[in-house]
Amino acid sequence: KQEVTQIPAALSVPEGENLVLNCSFTDSAIYNLQWFRQDPGKGLTSLLLIQSSQREQTSGRLNASLDKSSGRSTLYIAASQPGDSATYLCAVGGATNKLIFGTGTLLAVQP
Amino acid sequence: NAGVTQTPKFRILKIGQSMTLQCTQDMNHNYMYWYRQDPGMGLKLIYYSVGAGITDKGEVPNGYNVSRSTTEDFPLRLELAAPSQTSVYFCASTQINTGELFFGEGSRLTVL
């Protein structure tokens, strides 16, 4: 059974720092991996989608990498801003794109 | 562009009552999903559908039912509400060839 773990559970950094969020999964037979952002009381917004054949994806200050063989993904946020404060969720996709989610990392960027 | 729309946003139910959470999407997506999110937990898949007329169970289907009579709509029914169904429910959709999931804003349900 696929299990997804995110470390750390919570992170607080000063504005301007570069940071890395980690995601690990137990079964490497995945179709894709997605990173989402969730603001309090809101739905999830897709940040980056990495297909199983890809190694990384970039969008603005965000870069996500995927190492299927080791069951790991990282989300790199450059030059963090207070507006980046949110919960970040990692999810791995299997057949029919059913996603298995991690429990998330709560990020606080201090001004 | 509305995307994925869920109603109601908030609802309080008494134990044993029934209700339906509505979900509609205007992106002509084939695949639709219902997840629940409990505090401090990740999202758990309840039911999903790969097209009109086709539904299947996810990880936590007990106590719920779904139907998919049209491409746009995917309602979730709770027949006999229990306190364990207190949660935030999210509907999502995708076109399988892209895989990017689009979520609604959630429906917060409390069962007392």
Side-chain angles (χ1 to χ4, degrees), chain A residues 29-47:
Chain A
I30 63 171
Y31 283 60
N32 57 48
L33 184 144
Q34 297 185 51
W35 284 93
F36 294 89
R37 170 185 173 136
Q38 185 177 27
D39 293 294
K42 299 291 187 182
L44 281 70
T45 301
S46 179
L47 297 173

Side-chain angles (χ1 to χ4, degrees), chain A residues 56-80:
Chain A
E56 66 176 348
Q57 283 285 342
T58 298
S59 176
R61 295 182 294 108
L62 305 180
N63 175 275
S65 68
L66 174 62
D67 184 344
K68 262 183 48 174
S69 61
S70 66
R72 294 177 188 273
S73 176
T74 61
L75 178 66
Y76 175 82
I77 302 177
S80 58

Side-chain angles (χ1 to χ4, degrees), chain A residues 20-32:
Chain A
V20 174
L21 306 181
N22 296 293
C23 173
S24 61
F25 47 95
T26 55
D27 185 349
S28 62
I30 63 171
Y31 283 60
N32 57 48

